[in-house]
Amino acid sequence: MFQEPVIRIQNLSHYYGQGVLRKQILFDINLNIYPGEIVLMTGPSGSGKTTLISLIGALRSAQYGSLNVLGQELVRASQSALVKIRRKAGYIFQAHNLLSFLTAQQNVEMAIKLQAHPRHVERQAQNILKAVGLGHRFHYYPDNLSGGQKQRVAIARALVNMPKLVLADEPTAALDKQSGRDVVEIMQKLAKEQGSTIVLVTHDNRILDIADRIVQIEDGYLFTSDPLQQSAKSLKQSS
Ligand code: ADP
Ligand code: MG
């Protein structure tokens, strides 16, 4: 694991609100995430998980400290730098966010067409839908798919461009046990095949075993078991 981290977070703090309403939400977060790792982030509701993952995904502006994602510093970054990172990451949310007036295949095709040089649009969309087990549902609209099937279309859409980084915020929250398990296993398999790094927020403890590492957020503080950071600490202590 002596590679450059895909995500390097140093002393990251975040505040919401202005004036007397200003409130600190994240406190001095430090975390390195390495290529190909699957990191699960857990913690109570309101502890700052969505805030942190949306900062990593460049969906909101980072304020204090340092946040380096795919080689780009995001603290006080320009809007165009943020957009560049957004285009490089794949996102999966709790609500699937599919467009209801497009079929499963068209939802996936749209993600391909947003790329600079889309190629083999139809074939790529169909292949990834087959990979998530929806080879028989290409032309179905979201309303005619089950919760688990919709979430699998969302995974197909997030992974079709082979992003180096996949960010998922409670992707199994709305699913029953078996569908939840299925969707994370599909994510895990596809991401391993593509060499992607996954950061997945969850408080579904039925899926914790897919993680290479689990980090915990409580009241805006992150607790980690980063092996490199721990060995650095024990080196310091023993010297
Ligand atoms: P989690 O995902 O762990 O439930 P969030 O990151 O969504 O936590 O929220 C952390 C805290 O920040 C909560 O107290 C929440 O009310 C607050 N918060 C979230 N989004 C905003 C916002 N846009 N403006 C002000 N406060 C917010
Ligand atoms: Mg949340």
Side-chain angles (χ1 to χ4, degrees):
M1 288 233 296
F2 293 100
Q3 307 180 63
E4 281 292 302
V6 180
I7 300 168
R8 196 184 65 230
I9 307 176
Q10 290 169 322
N11 303 105
L12 184 73
S13 291
H14 194 81
Y15 296 77
Y16 285 125
Q18 309 276 324
V20 292
L21 294 177
R22 185 170 143 100
K23 191 177 164 213
Q24 187 164 6
I25 300 298
L26 296 178
F27 296 82
D28 260 320
I29 306 282
N30 287 284
L31 179 67
N32 287 334
I33 298 178
Y34 296 91
E37 265 197 299
I38 299 182
V39 174
L40 260 57
M41 199 183 287
T42 67
S45 183
S47 57
K49 304 180 299 297
T50 295
T51 302
L52 181 56
I53 205 167
S54 62
L55 290 170
I56 293 171
L59 299 175
R60 68 175 78 245
S61 296
Q63 301 165 339
Y64 300 99
S66 171
L67 171 60
N68 191 292
V69 178
L70 299 168
Q72 167 71 51
E73 175 59 51
L74 296 185
V75 170
R76 289 184 220 104
S78 66
Q79 278 304 312
S80 67
L82 297 183
V83 169
K84 229 183 248 172
I85 294 299
R86 279 178 215 155
R87 281 171 171 262
K88 286 189 188 167
Y91 302 91
I92 302 161
F93 302 100
Q94 172 175 353
H96 51 77
N97 291 315
L98 299 179
L99 295 170
S100 62
F101 52 88
L102 298 180
T103 64
Q105 183 176 320
Q106 288 166 337
N107 266 282
V108 177
E109 285 179 355
M110 177 120 118
I112 305 171
K113 289 176 185 165
L114 290 171
Q115 295 295 102
H117 306 286
R119 292 174 61 219
H120 311 303
V121 175
E122 181 177 357
R123 193 170 76 213
Q124 279 200 73
Q126 293 192 345
N127 283 345
I128 192 103
L129 283 168
K130 282 182 206 156
V132 299
L134 293 176
H136 56 312
R137 292 289 183 269
F138 293 157
H139 307 299
Y140 279 58
Y141 287 92
D143 281 351
N144 298 322
L145 296 170
S146 70
Q149 288 172 333
K150 280 186 276 219
Q151 201 56 301
R152 283 189 271 157
V153 177
I155 291 172
R157 185 183 55 182
L159 295 178
V160 70
N161 296 318
M162 304 182 80
K164 281 280 150 264
L165 179 61
V166 177
L167 302 172
D169 194 354
E170 309 213 24
T172 66
L175 304 178
D176 63 68
K177 182 175 179 191
Q178 188 57 46
S179 319
R181 188 79 222 168
D182 289 348
V183 300
V184 293
E185 282 178 0
I186 290 166
M187 274 177 68
Q188 180 186 33
K189 177 169 171 290
L190 286 176
K192 289 283 173 202
E193 284 169 11
Q194 301 184 354
S196 309
T197 302
I198 301 185
V199 183
L200 192 157
V201 169
T202 189
H203 34 223
D204 184 350
N205 47 29
R206 303 169 304 201
I207 63 169
L208 296 183
D209 59 292
I210 73 147
D212 295 319
R213 188 146 57 102
I214 298 172
V215 299
Q216 181 89 14
I217 297 199
E218 270 174 46
D219 296 330
Y221 289 89
L222 185 132
F223 302 89
T224 176
S225 54
D226 185 321
L228 286 180
Q229 282 168 16
Q230 281 195 337
S231 55
K233 211 185 283 170
S234 57
L235 273 178
K236 252 188 229 162
Q237 283 164 352
S238 64
S239 64

